[in-house]
């Protein structure tokens, strides 16, 4: 496992890691036999600090240690360069990174557990115009592979649906002061501002929008949909709208039961990514059992063809690229200090 476990994005990494830990512990508790032998799986975790350089160094270290499967990275900017190392070693990599490029490199080892930025950004762009009636929209992104990719797809879809993009701005994933950008945006009076980036930046952005008297609705993607966003943004979080791949947790086939097991094990509520990393891990463990081997070369074909019930979907199955066939998107809105479901858009790439 590799993801940011320290720093500003540690909340994402820990959530992702917990899902893998729970899957591994439950699999081991079933006293699995693979190839007729009793087996116990062990998790080796590394902190990639959301840094592409560190992530690729960890990838080589993992390969040198002869790992059998890789979970992570969280960030597309880390997962994409690291994926080449795992591909060359023939090791499957399961991630929630959403940049389209991740599964379009021609690698047979990349598996994604969330809809890509193309799917999510497009759905959000169309919904902003057709579902919410926004005609004049501003866009800000943090220039990361994730943030810019998501914003680009939103931009394309919103324009195609009939909206005018009145301003396109960019910042970075360390920024905390957005007032120069927002002062510029205020003059063009957008109805909505879409932000491609994470919750740590989106929270001060929301607060500064309200401080400057900007009444536009702030919109974002899955990395904004964290309880920490509401905690930091406080009252400024009200009305913020985001998209997240998959169904609401209470509507997931295994969501309620997963919630109980997760909270009992970790003592904290389920956040965003854990159900997906759990399913990604279980898909790999199931492929190992079907293949009768933990060797990547043996179980990889079984993983590519997997069809199994999961927490997040009635059928976990991948398309030819390693993307999930079930690519449902849920739209959430902060209402009375909590994330509430606004709408769910269903899709299936197998159709």
């Amino acid at each position: 496992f590799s993801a940011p476990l320290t720093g500003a994005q540690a909340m994402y990494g820990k959530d992702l890691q917990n899902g893998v830990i729970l899957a591994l512990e439950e699999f081991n508790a079933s006293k699995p036999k693979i190839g007729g032998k009793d087996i116990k799986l062990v998790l080796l975790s590394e902190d990639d600090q959301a840094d592409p350089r560190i992530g690729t160094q960890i990838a080589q270290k993992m390969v040198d240690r002869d790992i059998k499967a890789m979970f992570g990275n969280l960030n597309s900017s880390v997962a994409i360069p690291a994926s080449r190392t795992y591909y060359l070693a023939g090791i499957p990599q399961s991630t929630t990174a959403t940049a389209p490029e991740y599964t379009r490199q021609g690698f047979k080892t990349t598996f994604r557990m969330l809809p890509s930025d193309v799917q999510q950004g497009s759905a959000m762009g169309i919904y902003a115009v057709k579902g919410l009636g926004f005609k004049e929209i501003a866009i800000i992104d943090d220039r990361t592979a994730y943030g810019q990719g998501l914003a680009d797809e939103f931009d394309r879809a919103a324009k195609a649906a009939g909206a005018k993009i009145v301003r396109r701005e960019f910042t970075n994933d360390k920024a905390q002061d957005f007032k120069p950008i927002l002062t510029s945006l205020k003059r063009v009076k957008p109805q909505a501002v879409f932000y491609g980036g994470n919750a740590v930046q989106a929270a001060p952005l929301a607060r500064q929008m309200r401080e400057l008297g900007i009444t536009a609705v702030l919109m974002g993607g899955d990395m904004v949909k964290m309880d920490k966003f509401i905690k930091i943004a406080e009252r400024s979080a009200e009305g913020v709208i985001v998209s997240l791949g998959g169904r609401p947790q209470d509507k997931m086939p295994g969501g309620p039961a997963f919630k109980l097991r997760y909270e009992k094990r970790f003592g904290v509520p389920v956040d965003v990514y854990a159900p997906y990393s759990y399913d990604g891990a279980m898909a790999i463990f199931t492929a190992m059992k079907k293949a009768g081997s933990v060797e990547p070369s043996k179980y990889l074909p079984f993983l590519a063809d997997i069809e199994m019930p999961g927490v997040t979907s009635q059928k976990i199955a991948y398309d030819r690229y390693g993307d999930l066939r079930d690519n449902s998107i849920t739209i959430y809105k902060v209402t009375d200090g909590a994330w509430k479901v606004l709408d769910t858009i269903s899709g299936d790439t197998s159709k």
Side-chain angles (χ1 to χ4, degrees):
F1 175 84
S2 181
L5 296 173
T6 57
Q9 295 193 38
M11 59 182 176
Y12 300 115
K14 194 64 185 169
D15 183 40
L16 201 67
Q17 184 187 43
N18 284 351
V20 177
I21 289 171
L22 189 60
L24 184 139
E25 290 178 349
E26 291 183 358
F27 184 75
N28 282 338
S30 72
K31 301 191 183 307
K33 286 183 182 290
I34 294 181
K37 297 178 181 177
D38 292 330
I39 193 160
K40 181 181 180 183
L41 300 177
V42 177
L43 185 64
L44 171 64
S45 294
E46 293 279 355
D47 177 11
D48 68 24
Q49 299 175 46
D51 185 317
R53 182 182 59 84
I54 295 173
T56 51
Q57 289 174 351
I58 289 171
Q60 190 58 57
K61 178 180 174 182
M62 294 284 197
V63 168
D64 291 344
R65 292 193 65 168
D66 194 30
I67 63 165
K68 304 305 180 187
M70 178 63 203
F71 304 101
N73 311 88
L74 168 78
N75 305 86
S76 296
S77 58
V78 183
I80 291 168
S83 66
R84 174 167 290 276
T85 302
Y86 298 119
Y87 165 68
L88 292 173
I91 297 169
Q93 179 187 17
S94 177
T95 182
T96 54
T98 55
E101 183 188 343
Y102 173 72
T103 53
R104 294 301 191 272
Q105 301 173 90
F107 300 164
K108 296 296 185 184
T109 50
T110 53
F111 297 88
R112 193 199 319 268
M113 295 308 299
L114 279 173
S116 73
D117 293 337
V118 172
Q119 296 160 329
Q120 189 181 168
S122 297
M124 193 61 154
I126 294 167
Y127 190 79
V129 182
K130 303 291 190 183
L132 300 172
F134 297 140
K135 297 298 182 185
E136 297 191 337
I137 304 170
I139 299 174
I140 307 170
D141 75 74
D142 67 1
R143 294 288 102 166
T144 63
Y146 164 76
Q148 185 176 352
L150 189 65
D152 286 347
E153 295 302 332
F154 177 91
D155 188 326
R156 259 191 288 274
K159 283 178 182 172
K164 178 182 179 183
I165 304 304
V166 294
R167 191 68 58 88
R168 181 79 191 254
E169 300 279 356
F170 65 88
T171 180
N172 64 71
D173 63 351
K174 306 291 189 296
Q176 291 291 304
D177 181 9
F178 299 95
K179 287 188 176 176
I181 290 174
L182 292 174
T183 300
S184 171
L185 290 189
K186 188 176 180 180
R187 289 194 283 270
V188 295
K189 299 179 180 177
Q191 295 169 289
V193 175
F194 182 84
Y195 180 63
N198 66 59
V200 179
Q201 276 71 51
L205 174 63
R207 295 183 73 145
Q208 289 163 34
M209 281 176 63
R210 301 309 173 228
E211 287 167 9
L212 290 172
I214 297 173
T215 58
V217 173
L218 179 62
M219 305 181 75
D222 57 286
M223 288 191 83
V224 177
K225 205 258 166 195
M226 301 289 284
D227 290 339
K228 191 170 183 179
F229 167 78
I230 298 174
K231 215 170 281 183
I232 299 171
E234 297 178 323
R235 292 175 64 185
S236 301
E238 281 296 307
V240 170
I241 296 172
V242 304
S243 59
L244 174 64
R247 298 169 180 80
Q249 285 176 17
D250 61 348
K251 303 295 183 188
M252 291 176 180
F258 178 81
K259 179 177 183 289
L260 292 174
R261 301 198 310 275
Y262 183 96
E263 291 180 358
K264 181 180 179 181
R265 169 63 178 84
F266 300 108
V268 295
V270 179
D271 218 319
V272 171
Y273 297 109
Y276 302 98
S277 60
Y278 176 94
D279 276 351
M282 279 301 191
I284 285 178
F285 303 157
T286 301
M288 288 175 172
K289 285 194 75 171
K290 285 179 179 290
S293 175
V294 297
E295 292 306 319
S297 62
K298 300 282 180 63
Y299 79 77
L300 181 57
F302 290 86
L303 178 60
D305 291 335
I306 202 86
E307 286 192 6
M308 54 168 261
V311 168
T312 59
S313 175
Q314 289 180 344
K315 186 173 74 174
I316 302 296
Y318 301 105
D319 66 15
R320 63 195 176 100
Y321 297 107
D323 285 319
L324 287 176
R325 289 181 181 174
D326 182 347
N327 56 50
S328 302
I329 309 278
T330 300
I331 311 295
Y332 296 85
K333 181 179 181 179
V334 179
T335 306
D336 297 327
W339 293 109
K340 302 288 175 64
V341 174
L342 202 55
D343 210 341
T344 299
I345 305 161
S346 296
D348 187 332
T349 61
S350 67
K351 295 178 181 177

